[in-house]
Amino acid sequence: MVSASARAPSLPGDADFCSLNQGSYYIVTTAHLLLSFSRLLLAYDPSLRPIAPAVLCRVRVSQDCITKFNDLKLAKKYKYIVMKLSDDLREVVVEESSDEKDWEAFREKLVHAKTKAKSGAEGPGPRYAVYDFEYNLASGEGSRNKIAFIAWSPDDAGVMAKMVYASSKEALKRSLNGIAVELQANDQDDIEYDTVLKVISKGLGA
């Protein structure tokens, strides 16, 4: 247990480890909040120091994410896109894009997603996903489709990974123009088909 007077190791300044590249898409993290949280983590576990700077950097969104999202939205080329942070936590990249329409196949991609820890060990990992969700109205008045953004952050994922994914989410969404609904999912029940249908259709889907 860390006492109230315990002080965390100091972190380098933002300029020490971040660089700005004109013309790229960036997610600007909430620096003061992340700095405070990173210091708290370091107070408990100083071994996190080598990766803490990455949490405070501007995380770049790869152009591939935006291109594939537009292909999903406009050309209906994909049914879903799964995105992740690169191993150095500095860029959002496409992990997989698919035209597979089976919800369970997509769900399994999230359930079995992995993130590599500093030690090299793999464990459950967060992901971002976009899904072109189509459903029938219970009233019989036809069908609807909405593009859903899913922030998958399982409860048993690593603290550092969850923090970086959470801090990057809103700006990533702003880079993907056309999202109709967002789902925050923390356990497998949150991404059961019936649960998602109820949220996306606001209870009107069948």
Side-chain angles (χ1 to χ4, degrees), residues 94-195:
V94 173
E95 182 174 45
E96 181 175 351
S97 54
S98 174
D99 60 1
E100 171 62 60
K101 295 182 179 181
D102 180 22
W103 175 265
E104 286 303 313
F106 163 72
R107 181 177 176 274
E108 288 298 305
K109 301 291 183 182
L110 300 183
V111 170
H112 296 295
K114 301 294 183 183
T115 293
K116 186 174 293 187
K118 171 177 169 280
S119 64
E122 284 191 336
R127 289 294 187 273
Y128 306 116
V130 177
Y131 195 97
D132 188 2
F133 198 93
E134 186 173 356
Y135 61 93
N136 294 317
L137 293 172
S139 64
E141 297 177 358
S143 63
R144 300 286 186 274
N145 78 291
K146 294 182 180 179
I147 296 177
F149 179 92
I150 301 171
W152 170 246
S153 185
D155 291 329
D156 53 354
V159 173
M160 185 65 72
K162 288 194 291 187
M163 183 173 71
V164 181
Y165 273 82
S167 68
S168 305
K169 182 182 69 173
E170 289 302 319
L172 172 59
K173 284 170 56 185
R174 288 194 293 272
S175 296
L176 307 178
N177 186 26
I179 292 169
V181 62
E182 177 191 345
L183 294 91
Q184 177 64 49
N186 302 106
D187 61 48
Q188 295 187 30
D189 290 343
D190 292 338
I191 49 176
E192 290 285 357
Y193 180 83
D194 288 343
T195 302

Side-chain angles (χ1 to χ4, degrees), residues 41-113:
L41 287 174
L42 289 170
Y44 281 90
D45 186 0
S47 70
L48 291 173
R49 181 180 176 83
I51 61 173
V55 177
L56 301 179
C57 280
R58 298 172 179 87
V59 178
R60 186 175 64 191
V61 181
S62 73
Q63 182 61 43
D64 190 37
C65 291
I66 298 167
T67 299
K68 281 189 165 58
F69 174 78
N70 288 331
D71 285 341
L72 177 149
K73 179 181 70 171
L74 302 174
K76 302 297 182 182
K77 185 176 179 179
Y78 306 113
K79 189 66 174 177
Y80 67 82
I81 304 166
V82 178
M83 293 166 282
K84 68 174 186 175
L85 285 168
S86 57
D87 289 342
D88 62 5
L89 305 179
R90 294 179 183 272
E91 185 176 30
V92 182
V93 298
V94 173
E95 182 174 45
E96 181 175 351
S97 54
S98 174
D99 60 1
E100 171 62 60
K101 295 182 179 181
D102 180 22
W103 175 265
E104 286 303 313
F106 163 72
R107 181 177 176 274
E108 288 298 305
K109 301 291 183 182
L110 300 183
V111 170
H112 296 295

